[in-house]
Amino acid sequence: MTGSLRDKLMDILIKGNLMKKRDLDKAIEIQKISGGSLGKILVDQNLISQQSLMVAVSAQLDIPPINISKYKIDKEVLKLIPEKVVRQYSVLPLSKIGNVLTVVMSDPLNIFAIDDIKMITHFKVDIAMAPESDIKEAINSYYGGTAHVQEISKILEGINPEDDMEVIEEEKIDVSEITEESQKAPIVKVVSLILNEAIKKRASDIHIEPCEKFLKVRYRIDGSLHDVLTLPKKNQNAVIARLKIMSRLDITETRMPQDGRFKISFEGKEIDFRVSILPVTFGGKVVMRILDKSSISIGLDKLGFLPGPLSTFKTALDRPYGMILVTGPTGSGKSTTLYSIISQLNTPERNIITLEDPVEYETEGVTQIPARPEIGLTFAAGLKGILRQSPDIIMVGEIRDFETADIAIKASLTGQLILSTLHTNDSAGAITRLIDMGVEPFLVASSLIMSSAQRLMRKICDNCKEEMEIVPEVLERLGIDHGILKKKGVKNFYKGRGCSRCNDTGYYGRVGILETLLIDDPVRNLIMKRASSDQIKEYAIKEKGMMTLRDNAFENCMKGVTTLEETLRVTSED
């Protein structure tokens, strides 16, 4: 920063009584030694907040402050300034009208940046202001991927170029060489950045996929996969070996699937990674499930379920023995619900034992057994052993066959509370699935307390949420009564426009929806008569007022929590 610019900033801060002269002098001394922007030094040294600095400069220079996340910038405008310049100066083009280009920056006193932009674009430049952190987040969103992509590229530059190789047909692997390479600082840093950034971005899974000429990394965020970055093919074996070493897996095994896990500490939290490696055409595909223990101790009340179904669930949990089933497809949040229940019921006077494949969350005070079918420790065999341990509550990861179902049901009749899952579409379907497995209807009717079904649906991003007109013709085609909306005072639905916070998806975060079928005498009679799941469901809706998954989802839509499109996507089978 030149003397005149520095003086201008000092004048603004002193006139506004925002800074003492001795603090300014201290920052100037740092600037003389290390260089850089005086404003950034003041913020980095905690001498002033970014917000206070921006407000003061904005007011003195009559430059409008903006919330950059509220803007959706046209792709053609983004092309006007090269990415290198955008990142160098933390500046972003917002709009172009005639020959005037409006840009947003955190340091409007940086005349070098403004001059460079004028020279590159040949436009007049108008300035708007935003915090540097907001600008950087928007830059990473608009200019391809996440902030750590650039950092990873720099790290990989430190790897010897002589290590590069062209992969033709089958690659010969030198185990000692790969082990040594995987322990080098660049590879260790790259893997750490991939893991840390996934946690920051709320990813539930990391996919590392070998392709013919590169290694692709994707994150699953809010249920959808997003491309993050590609790594050079030459680093593939070292990256995968590093993950295998962290997971205590055999790095020489390349022909068979492998499963492992490891833990890392992140911002004071312990995060588990469940690792699966599958041999594919161009190497080993790695999928890591991210398991945050803090998410399972929040209890059922914090999972976002509506009050009605949640109340039914709590009523079922008050029963001392019997069976409670949670159903839904993979990725519907069944494990989180079960672990939240276990966390809630985990008291010193109870003996809680789980049998899982694999153990997802290690929980203190709970006896957890990993199923190992390859040595004969199946769910059925493990369950027999558990019953000799005087359990109060048993969680069985999944009921997959008649033997497991039969043992679990008989255990629930002899004084244990059994919690388990089934892969069915709705709550009534779980009942007929057990009977189809070969369990006698009278045993199902006697043991089952409640069957539930759940899904996870994406929430509208609060940052870019906007109203959407309700079109009666569309509702009619979907079989939705417009009168219900009028009765509830619903005038509009909502959607997300798309912004840098939600990566232009319009969604940020997920909420659970729950369908609960409490087993009463009429339902038991239907089970004994081998009634179909449709008949049981029809009774539950008409006579018990059961809210279906579609009802739950549409309620969230009317409240503005999610969109109509998401409601139909998640509950399409209803």
Side-chain angles (χ1 to χ4, degrees):
M1 179 178 281
T2 65
S4 60
L5 293 174
R6 184 172 65 209
D7 293 342
K8 200 168 191 176
L9 180 58
M10 290 171 65
D11 190 48
I12 289 170
L13 294 173
I14 290 170
K15 277 185 177 177
N17 293 318
L18 295 169
M19 184 74 58
K20 292 178 181 176
K21 190 172 185 308
R22 67 171 179 269
D23 289 333
L24 274 171
D25 291 340
K26 176 186 172 184
I28 289 166
E29 287 304 312
I30 294 172
Q31 187 189 32
K32 286 176 181 176
I33 297 167
S34 60
S37 160
L38 179 60
K40 188 173 189 305
I41 292 169
L42 291 169
V43 172
D44 290 345
Q45 293 293 316
N46 294 317
L47 297 172
I48 190 171
S49 71
Q50 176 76 59
Q51 189 67 27
S52 297
L53 179 65
M54 189 182 77
V55 169
V57 174
S58 171
Q60 288 293 323
L61 300 182
D62 196 25
I63 295 174
I66 65 164
N67 182 349
I68 197 169
S69 62
K70 298 290 185 185
Y71 286 78
K72 190 165 186 179
I73 305 170
D74 187 90
K75 289 181 180 178
E76 295 304 313
V77 173
L78 291 169
K79 291 177 183 177
L80 295 174
I81 305 178
E83 181 180 351
K84 184 178 178 182
V85 175
V86 164
R87 291 189 183 276
Q88 180 184 348
Y89 294 123
S90 285
V91 60
L92 196 65
L94 277 182
S95 63
K96 186 183 83 70
I97 301 174
N99 68 335
V100 178
L101 178 65
T102 301
V103 300
V104 59
M105 55 198 306
S106 60
D107 182 9
L109 294 174
N110 189 342
I111 58 169
F112 302 113
I114 297 168
D115 286 346
D116 277 0
I117 292 167
K118 286 179 179 177
M119 194 182 305
I120 291 166
T121 62
H122 304 293
F123 294 129
K124 291 179 182 177
V125 175
D126 270 358
I127 307 295
M129 284 188 69
E132 186 175 10
S133 57
D134 290 1
I135 294 173
K136 284 187 174 178
E137 187 178 338
I139 288 170
N140 290 326
S141 172
Y142 283 116
Y143 284 87
T146 55
H148 68 308
V149 173
Q150 300 289 323
E151 193 171 347
I152 285 176
S153 298
K154 288 179 183 176
I155 291 169
L156 291 176
E157 285 173 8
I159 298 176
N160 191 341
E162 293 177 4
D163 294 339
D164 199 359
M165 63 178 72
E166 185 179 352
V167 179
I168 302 172
E169 295 181 359
E170 194 170 316
E171 185 179 358
K172 292 181 180 179
I173 295 174
D174 184 329
V175 174
S176 60
E177 192 177 301
I178 292 174
T179 305
E180 184 182 344
E181 184 69 23
S182 70
Q183 303 290 6
K184 287 183 179 178
I187 293 298
V188 172
K189 287 180 182 176
V190 166
V191 171
S192 294
L193 277 167
I194 290 170
L195 301 180
N196 289 345
E197 197 67 20
I199 298 168
K200 288 178 185 175
K201 289 196 164 290
R202 308 174 297 105
S204 60
D205 302 87
I206 304 171
H207 290 238
I208 299 178
E209 306 170 16
C211 301
E212 186 176 6
K213 295 180 180 177
F214 54 84
L215 188 66
K216 181 164 69 174
V217 180
R218 296 195 287 172
Y219 294 159
R220 187 180 293 280
I221 302 170
D222 294 335
S224 300
L225 280 171
H226 301 270
D227 286 341
V228 179
L229 64 108
T230 58
L231 299 175
K233 188 71 175 178
K234 66 180 180 181
N235 304 127
Q236 174 177 307
N237 289 336
V239 168
I240 293 173
R242 172 66 185 161
L243 291 168
K244 283 187 176 183
I245 290 167
M246 292 171 70
S247 310
R248 298 182 181 179
L249 297 174
D250 182 1
I251 68 168
T252 65
E253 179 57 74
T254 58
R255 297 175 297 173
M256 296 292 290
Q258 291 178 280
D259 294 305
R261 65 191 309 146
F262 62 87
K263 297 178 187 177
I264 67 170
S265 178
F266 180 82
E267 295 182 352
K269 294 191 295 184
E270 195 175 84
I271 309 289
D272 279 14
F273 287 81
R274 198 178 76 201
V275 182
S276 170
I277 300 178
L278 189 69
V280 295
T281 306
F282 298 111
K285 177 177 176 177
V286 183
V287 175
M288 291 177 279
R289 170 67 57 88
I290 303 173
L291 305 168
D292 181 357
K293 287 186 179 180
S294 63
S295 67
I296 64 165
S297 56
I298 58 175
L300 282 174
D301 292 313
K302 301 292 178 64
L303 296 179
F305 298 136
L306 292 175
L310 183 59
S311 175
T312 306
F313 209 121
K314 289 180 176 178
T315 300
L317 287 173
D318 287 338
R319 294 280 293 272
Y321 62 89
M323 178 181 278
I324 294 174
L325 291 175
V326 180
T327 73
T330 301
S332 58
K334 299 189 299 296
S335 294
T336 301
T337 299
L338 286 178
Y339 274 104
S340 295
I341 295 168
I342 291 293
S343 178
Q344 195 171 308
L345 300 178
N346 186 13
T347 56
E349 63 270 16
R350 289 190 176 108
N351 178 21
I352 302 176
I353 305 178
T354 74
L355 180 61
E356 307 166 65
D357 183 19
V359 171
E360 292 202 13
Y361 297 94
E362 293 173 1
T363 309
E364 190 175 343
V366 176
T367 304
Q368 296 174 278
I369 305 166
R372 295 181 62 191
E374 70 276 8
I375 62 168
L377 182 53
T378 61
F379 279 121
L383 202 45
K384 287 177 183 175
I386 287 172
L387 292 174
R388 301 188 191 102
Q389 295 281 314
S390 182
D392 297 301
I393 300 169
I394 302 171
M395 184 181 95
V396 183
E398 185 185 347
I399 292 176
R400 298 175 179 172
D401 52 45
F402 165 73
E403 190 178 6
T404 306
D406 188 53
I407 298 167
I409 283 175
K410 287 174 181 174
S412 71
L413 292 170
T414 56
Q416 281 84 34
L417 179 64
I418 307 291
L419 307 170
S420 192
T421 70
L422 273 177
H423 285 285
T424 60
N425 287 332
D426 57 18
S427 53
I431 297 169
T432 52
R433 177 66 57 84
L434 289 172
I435 294 171
D436 290 343
M437 283 181 180
V439 180
E440 289 295 334
F442 78 90
L443 288 174
V444 176
S446 305
S447 63
L448 199 58
I449 302 171
M450 184 193 73
S451 174
S452 69
Q454 70 177 67
R455 298 289 188 277
L456 291 174
M457 61 192 311
R458 295 177 295 174
K459 294 165 64 179
I460 300 171
C461 174
D462 291 330
N463 199 56
C464 60
K465 187 174 179 178
E466 61 184 20
E467 289 185 352
M468 186 180 108
E469 186 183 352
I470 297 174
V471 182
E473 292 78 13
V474 173
L475 295 180
E476 190 177 334
R477 282 204 307 272
L478 298 172
I480 297 170
D481 186 357
H482 194 263
I484 294 175
L485 301 181
K486 283 186 177 179
K487 193 175 179 181
K488 295 199 174 189
V490 179
K491 296 179 180 178
N492 290 291
F493 288 148
Y494 292 86
K495 66 176 181 178
R497 183 180 63 254
C499 64
S500 58
R501 180 173 181 255
C502 61
N503 289 323
D504 283 325
T505 62
Y507 297 99
Y508 188 91
R510 290 192 289 179
V511 65
I513 55 172
L514 184 67
E515 174 184 295
T516 49
L517 173 57
L518 202 60
I519 309 301
D520 59 8
D521 286 338
V523 173
R524 288 190 186 96
N525 290 333
L526 288 169
I527 294 170
M528 296 287 285
K529 293 175 183 176
R530 295 180 181 267
S532 68
S533 60
D534 287 341
Q535 290 172 312
I536 295 171
K537 188 171 184 176
E538 185 180 359
Y539 162 78
I541 294 169
K542 286 184 178 179
E543 304 299 328
K544 294 169 66 68
M546 181 183 80
M547 286 186 75
T548 65
L549 289 169
R550 171 62 64 84
D551 294 335
N552 274 257
F554 193 58
E555 186 76 21
N556 278 325
C557 181
M558 289 191 291
K559 287 181 176 180
V561 174
T562 191
T563 62
L564 183 59
E565 289 82 4
E566 184 71 357
T567 298
L568 299 175
R569 183 187 72 84
V570 171
T571 61
S572 57
E573 70 279 352
D574 280 3

